[in-house]
Amino acid sequence: MRVDILGNNKASFVKPMADGLSRMLKSCGAEARVHYDGVERLMRRPLIDTSSLRSIAGSSIRLRSTWRNLSEFIDRLDGTDLIVVVAHVPSSFSPMVLPNVELLRRIFPDVPIVNYDLVYLPSLDSWSRTILRDEPTQLAPESLKMFSRGKFGLERYDWYLLASVGGYIPLEQREHPYSLIGIDIDDGFLYPDQQDFTVLVDFPQTRGEYPKYREIQLKALDLAGIKYRTLEGRYTREELLAVFRTSSALLLAHAESFGLPVCEAQACGCLIFTPSPHWVTAHWLGKEYTAQRSPALSSNFVVYNNEPQSLADELLRARDNFDPQKVRTTFEAQQPELFRGDRAALQNFLSAVESGKVHSQLHRSHADIGRKSA
């Protein structure tokens, strides 16, 4: 089976997910090809902007280049058995952000198109309510602009490959179109290299009350007298992993829908500090997703009271008992699917594709998932 993975080369979760999926597919006997321009090709709208005469002229010129690029890209995909789009909620469901998913479906009508994401849309409170049920939420208006030209629900893709189910919203009791294959981040660059106990403060987050959490973290570090560094600016993935390898504890800056650094840091022997277990719901232990889940975390997570002295005490306790190899071993033992992926689950998915259970028209049967009941 030939699988074409559409990703990108940017400093984000997409490239490590695409590369990891390629490794997993090859170990399962499939032929995997990663297209690092794949997501960019999905974003190029092959239409003329008719909003003004100037826009018509400019977009007409760009359209010729767009079609040349798309034609070359489509030729590369010829002969594929499966197309996997590595894209995250909410952009994965936006016809404005990724307008060419449907173009590929028309050109390759017999090829299943699958989304590989970190989380599952129906388990995410605000985005599920916004995308699937058109309900008002606290999401910022600028975050919703990508849906100005409409939106898709789960009927956009034939199947969903997931690193995790995601949030704590219970799923409706029915058969869901996903395979929980985890994520393979074991590329040889994740390992402990701590020389002393050093705390890493996450990138600053400006939304809402999050800056106050950072203030408390910095005060606690001063009280504890512990060496620390802060993440600022931009890093390549290689640079960021080098920082994780020499860090002993990561202080999170905000709630994560998944948080790839949470996995990468643990693989490097780094503890995760969070003021709330609800900031890391994708990392809760247990897999009963149709009931309200309890916020159970592995011993690699330290949930602290959001007060400087209390946090300082937790940091000192962690320093006195720190063992980076134990952190990594705990991660490998309790959440192996978030380090090296779940190849058995992926093999089952590939078998479903080969048997025709997962096929190119399956997306049509997903339209009602997560929607309002009649």
Side-chain angles (χ1 to χ4, degrees):
M1 178 186 297
R2 188 182 122 192
V3 183
D4 285 82
I5 304 167
L6 310 190
N8 65 32
N9 246 328
K10 297 181 179 179
S12 72
F13 66 92
V14 174
K15 186 177 186 299
M17 284 187 74
D19 289 344
L21 179 59
S22 177
R23 289 192 295 271
M24 292 172 68
L25 285 166
K26 290 175 181 177
S27 71
C28 290
E31 176 189 353
R33 304 198 307 183
V34 180
H35 301 267
Y36 294 109
D37 61 346
V39 171
E40 192 273 336
R41 293 290 182 262
L42 292 180
M43 296 173 69
R44 288 205 172 195
R45 181 174 294 277
L47 297 173
I48 293 177
D49 184 351
T50 59
S51 59
S52 68
L53 290 176
R54 186 173 182 179
S55 297
I56 291 173
S59 61
S60 296
I61 295 172
R62 291 192 299 272
L63 185 62
R64 289 194 290 272
S65 174
T66 296
W67 272 117
R68 281 197 301 270
N69 288 328
L70 282 175
S71 295
E72 182 274 334
F73 177 60
I74 289 165
D75 287 344
R76 271 190 273 146
L77 296 180
D78 188 42
T80 188
D81 298 303
L82 179 69
I83 294 173
V84 179
V85 179
V86 184
H88 192 29
V89 174
S91 61
S92 49
F93 295 95
S94 169
M96 183 174 176
V97 177
L98 300 177
N100 292 331
V101 172
E102 285 61 48
L103 175 65
L104 291 184
R105 194 174 287 287
R106 292 194 297 271
I107 294 171
F108 301 103
D110 299 322
V111 177
I113 299 179
V114 171
N115 179 216
Y116 183 28
D117 198 353
L118 292 165
V119 291
Y120 187 48
L121 173 60
S123 73
L124 303 178
D125 184 28
S126 293
W127 284 121
S128 176
R129 288 159 53 202
T130 296
I131 295 173
L132 298 176
R133 299 193 292 277
D134 294 312
E135 295 176 355
T137 67
Q138 298 299 313
L139 293 170
E142 57 267 23
S143 299
L144 304 178
K145 288 181 180 179
M146 68 176 69
F147 299 125
S148 61
R149 298 179 185 176
K151 56 182 178 289
F152 289 92
L154 293 180
E155 73 280 359
R156 187 166 213 197
Y157 302 96
D158 295 301
W159 201 257
Y160 295 84
L161 300 176
L162 303 176
S164 73
V165 169
Y168 57 91
I169 304 300
L171 300 180
E172 57 184 315
Q173 295 191 7
R174 60 173 297 163
E175 186 174 353
H176 287 270
Y178 71 73
S179 296
L180 190 56
I181 66 168
I183 183 170
D184 181 355
I185 57 175
D186 188 20
D187 56 5
F189 295 98
L190 298 164
Y191 53 86
D193 192 26
Q194 291 84 355
Q195 304 303 313
D196 53 17
F197 190 86
T198 302
V199 173
L200 182 62
V201 182
D202 203 353
F203 290 100
Q205 174 58 250
T206 59
R207 292 184 292 117
E209 298 292 310
Y210 289 133
K212 295 182 179 178
Y213 287 92
R214 187 181 177 90
E215 290 176 12
I216 288 174
Q217 290 171 349
L218 295 176
K219 288 180 181 177
L221 286 163
D222 288 338
L223 284 172
I226 289 177
K227 179 181 176 181
Y228 70 92
R229 68 188 122 194
T230 60
L231 290 173
E232 306 278 353
R234 304 178 71 86
Y235 300 77
T236 65
R237 184 167 186 267
E238 291 73 19
E239 291 170 339
L240 192 57
L241 295 187
V243 173
F244 287 159
R245 288 195 295 266
T246 57
S247 299
S248 310
L250 171 63
L251 299 180
L252 296 181
H254 59 94
E256 299 272 14
S257 60
F258 181 81
L260 184 60
V262 172
C263 298
E264 295 170 329
Q266 289 182 84
C268 291
C270 182
L271 296 166
I272 308 298
F273 275 66
T274 175
S276 169
H278 293 277
W279 280 25
V280 287
T281 54
H283 301 270
W284 290 0
L285 303 176
K287 295 183 178 181
E288 176 47 68
Y289 301 117
T290 60
Q292 192 71 48
R293 300 174 67 200
S294 299
L297 293 164
S298 83
S299 58
N300 286 347
F301 291 81
V302 178
V303 180
Y304 63 86
N305 293 324
N306 197 38
E307 184 273 323
Q309 187 59 61
S310 178
L311 175 54
D313 293 341
E314 291 287 359
L315 288 166
L316 290 170
R317 189 176 298 113
R319 182 197 63 185
D320 294 342
N321 296 281
F322 183 61
D323 181 348
Q325 290 297 337
K326 182 179 179 181
V327 173
R328 180 183 167 101
T329 299
T330 297
F331 182 46
E332 291 180 287
Q334 297 204 14
Q335 294 181 297
E337 73 282 359
L338 298 184
F339 187 25
R340 297 190 175 93
D342 186 337
R343 281 159 172 74
L346 180 59
Q347 186 65 69
N348 288 338
F349 162 73
L350 293 175
S351 298
V353 175
E354 289 177 335
S355 70
K357 180 180 179 181
V358 173
H359 54 79
S360 63
Q361 301 303 309
L362 191 58
H363 62 282
R364 300 178 186 276
S365 65
H366 305 334
D368 66 325
I369 298 176
R371 305 285 191 183
K372 286 182 177 178
S373 301

